[in-house]
Amino acid sequence: MRAEATSHLTDLIYGSLFGECDWQAFLDAVARTSPDGKAALHYHDLTSPVAHVPFISGFSEAEVADFSMHYAAVNPWIPRMNMVPVGQGLCGDEIFARRDLVRSEFYNDWLKRQARCETSVGVSIIREETRSFILSTATSCADPEENRAAAERYTLLSPHLKRAFDFIRRRDLVAPKAQGARGLFDSIGAGLLYICERRRLRWSNEAADLMLASGYPIRTGSDGKILIRSDAAAAALQALLVRGGGYALPQTFFMRNDVDQQSFRLTVVRLQSSRFTEFLEGPTVAVIVEPALATIKDRQRSLLEDAKLTAAEVKVALSIASGNTPRQTATAFQIGYETVRTHLRNVYSKLGVNSQVALATLLLGT
């Protein structure tokens, strides 16, 4: 697995989200990472025999039509998707034994004969009830080690895809489509800033404007430059704004306001632009600023009160529900990792759940 390939793909995810490129560019790049790769962003509902494959690269329309209307229903990988860990990249042989695959109708009549491929590598990005949202690439490569390396790349891409998908879906539900991708951040209270060379603000949404006005965790200096109240995040921003510096994986930082104890998660990512645009305008970096704790409804808040969670346990529960890992939670609130684990075990016991996914579903469900 080449780090530069993963970095480029991650950049394309955020570029697609922010409108700097489109999802086709991302999918085409994914396909090129595997021998004779044919990539797809698709979702499957186990209650329906028809697959939905809206985004493809390399597949013909006839191949997709045959797959959607018939071969998805006999695809031996699909029934096992609910047993595959969300966010973990896997190759087909890890889901269904190859010795059985090569005897199947799916392999002989579609995968091998039509698509001219041997297996597939992919990842479940989101799973809800009976549906799984999947990124996968069919490939002519049957080498287990090479496909395992490709699967590791999908594991690295998965959290960024999930974040992009979550923002897009929240936009479609909450904000008018005419507002575009940027307006969706306002709908969930997240600040979004586009910062150009010399740390000048190119654009910001309303949530970011409020943060700038408050002076935390971002502010505007007397010279008009955007300042971040985190040395590490400020250094990362400066490095990404260097012309010719290339692209890197998005970087996430946590910071806490000592005055009101509010914690924030800040992500910086350099946007993908055409060489000509960057030549004229220089690099653009997106800065995403989100509260580290999820906002929950009154009904879910009463659950926490009824379960008699301590203040520390509530903070850990909300952080995990926000998508933070236990280690990120420890960093965000400047407490020990083992302390977070202890609080989390108590939360599980008091709320009657046994996983981070179950906790998030309980607290963020409708």
Side-chain angles (χ1 to χ4, degrees):
M1 181 185 64
R2 295 173 56 192
E4 58 267 32
T6 305
S7 175
H8 177 61
L9 292 173
T10 307
D11 188 78
L12 288 174
I13 292 171
Y14 285 96
S16 300
L17 175 63
F18 299 140
E20 295 289 327
C21 59
D22 57 31
W23 287 103
Q24 190 63 51
F26 165 72
L27 209 56
D28 291 344
V30 169
R32 290 192 293 270
T33 62
S34 294
D36 303 311
K38 298 183 175 185
L41 271 171
H42 49 116
Y43 72 88
H44 291 267
D45 190 332
L46 294 179
T47 64
S48 172
V50 179
H52 302 272
V53 191
F55 300 103
I56 60 173
S57 177
F59 290 105
S60 69
E61 292 185 5
E63 289 167 357
V64 172
D66 284 351
F67 175 81
S68 299
M69 300 308 298
H70 175 68
Y71 290 103
V74 297
N75 182 343
W77 292 320
I78 297 301
R80 303 191 176 199
M81 290 308 299
N82 274 358
M83 297 181 287
V84 172
V86 174
Q88 180 177 332
L90 294 170
C91 46
D93 296 350
E94 296 177 282
I95 304 174
F96 190 77
R98 183 165 182 79
R99 64 178 181 276
D100 298 322
L101 175 70
V102 297
R103 294 197 294 266
S104 69
E105 174 190 3
F106 170 77
Y107 173 85
N108 287 288
D109 292 351
W110 188 82
L111 185 65
K112 181 69 173 179
R113 182 173 65 83
Q114 289 196 45
R116 298 177 297 282
C117 290
E118 289 295 332
T119 190
S120 182
V121 182
V123 62
S124 289
I125 304 161
I126 299 174
R127 182 177 300 143
E128 51 186 27
E129 297 181 350
T130 60
R131 294 199 304 176
S132 291
F133 292 76
I134 302 166
L135 169 67
S136 66
T137 302
T139 175
S140 62
C141 176
D143 183 338
E145 291 187 7
E146 187 169 340
N147 289 332
R148 179 66 253 161
E152 292 173 4
R153 180 187 301 115
Y154 287 76
T155 299
L156 295 175
L157 292 176
S158 178
H160 302 292
L161 282 167
K162 183 181 184 304
R163 178 179 233 175
F165 285 11
D166 283 346
F167 277 128
I168 290 171
R169 296 173 74 191
R170 288 175 182 175
R171 172 201 64 194
D172 292 342
L173 289 172
V174 179
K177 291 184 179 180
Q179 290 183 339
R182 302 174 186 181
L184 66 93
F185 287 87
D186 277 316
S187 70
I188 59 173
L192 172 63
L193 306 91
Y194 284 3
I195 300 175
C196 59
E197 256 185 324
R198 296 181 296 280
R199 300 207 311 273
R200 301 289 179 176
L201 181 64
R202 177 168 290 169
W203 183 92
S204 59
N205 66 348
E206 291 182 8
D209 291 340
L210 292 174
M211 294 175 185
L212 287 168
S214 72
Y216 197 92
I218 52 176
R219 66 185 180 90
T220 304
S222 58
D223 57 359
K225 294 182 178 180
I226 296 298
L227 303 175
I228 302 175
R229 294 184 182 274
S230 162
D231 291 342
L237 172 64
Q238 188 60 44
L240 291 173
L241 287 172
V242 175
R243 282 183 183 256
Y247 301 97
L249 290 172
Q251 300 178 62
T252 300
F253 304 89
F254 290 88
M255 56 197 73
R256 184 174 65 171
N257 189 343
D258 292 333
V259 176
D260 59 12
Q261 303 301 303
Q262 186 175 9
S263 294
F264 294 88
R265 175 172 55 196
L266 187 146
T267 301
V268 293
V269 55
R270 180 167 168 171
L271 300 183
Q272 177 80 18
S273 302
S274 71
R275 293 179 64 186
F276 187 70
T277 298
E278 192 158 311
F279 170 74
L280 293 175
E281 302 183 15
T284 299
V285 173
V287 177
I288 308 165
V289 187
E290 310 163 77
L293 296 183
T295 300
I296 60 175
K297 298 180 176 66
D298 290 341
R299 185 179 72 83
Q300 282 83 355
R301 189 172 297 280
S302 67
L303 287 175
L304 301 180
E305 295 173 353
D306 293 343
K308 294 182 169 51
L309 269 65
T310 67
E313 289 166 355
V314 168
K315 185 179 292 185
V316 168
L318 294 180
S319 179
I320 297 298
S322 301
N324 300 322
T325 67
R327 289 197 182 278
Q328 289 175 331
T329 298
T331 300
F333 300 108
Q334 299 175 17
I335 57 179
Y337 172 63
E338 291 301 327
T339 301
V340 171
R341 293 186 63 190
T342 299
H343 288 324
L344 194 55
R345 284 193 294 268
N346 293 337
V347 169
Y348 286 172
S349 176
K350 292 179 180 181
L351 293 178
V353 297
N354 57 10
S355 70
Q356 295 178 33
V357 172
L359 176 62
T361 300
L362 178 67
L363 295 184
L364 301 182
T366 56

